[in-house]
Amino acid sequence: MDDLVAEGYTDLTVFDLSSIALAVAKQRLGEHADIVLWIEGDITRAKFPMNRFDIWHDRAVFHFLTDPANRHAYVERVISAVRPGGHVIVATFAEDGPEKCSGLPVMRYQPEALHAVFGDTFQLVEHEKEAHHTPFGTVQQFVYCYCRKR
Ligand SMILES: C[S@@+](CC[C@H](N)C(=O)[O-])C[C@H]1O[C@@H](n2cnc3c(N)ncnc32)[C@H](O)[C@@H]1O
């Protein structure tokens, strides 16, 4: 988000369950925080206008959805809220990533399996792995999938 603001993008939305996470990000952006629409809520219940977003970017949220019904609800929202031809980038723990995060169980994905959850509405364009170095000095294996909505 910080980089997008710095590059001059103005139609930006940040969504998170945690008011504290939103407050930290807002504080980090300082005077630029007003450019962003901040929404607190559960992504599996969120209501967005149809075709609202050109780009959907999720790092380390989707993998918290261990219940198939919640994953289905999430994907339904991406299908509805991203415009046709829009871009979807989802990063989760990789198959050799941690089994838990913040004490909560998480899902771990290979790129093809992550794409399969999203289904044929999305074309998998590319994927890559990343060794993420956390502020706590640990390393977490992530997989990034970049898809286009058909
Ligand atoms: C590991 S943090 C990642 C934060 C940020 N995306 C990043 O990459 O730095 C996971 C975030 O997912 C949020 N989260 C977990 N379940 C969620 C849900 N059902 N709806 C919205 N946000 C959720 C948490 O509040 C937390 O801020």
Side-chain angles (χ1 to χ4, degrees), residues 34-98:
D34 290 347
I35 294 169
V36 177
L37 175 62
W38 304 91
I39 305 177
E40 181 186 335
D42 179 348
I43 194 63
T44 65
R45 294 162 181 251
K47 290 195 170 84
F48 300 114
M50 266 187 87
N51 300 335
R52 172 65 184 84
F53 301 117
D54 293 321
I55 302 176
W56 179 287
H57 185 279
D58 168 344
R59 186 181 70 167
V61 178
F62 185 72
H63 64 203
F64 282 105
L65 304 181
T66 55
D67 177 346
N70 285 337
R71 291 197 289 276
H72 180 72
Y74 180 108
V75 172
E76 275 191 332
R77 278 152 183 78
V78 183
I79 289 172
S80 153
V82 175
R83 68 160 171 83
H87 310 263
V88 177
I89 302 157
V90 176
T92 68
F93 285 156
E95 72 274 18
D96 52 351

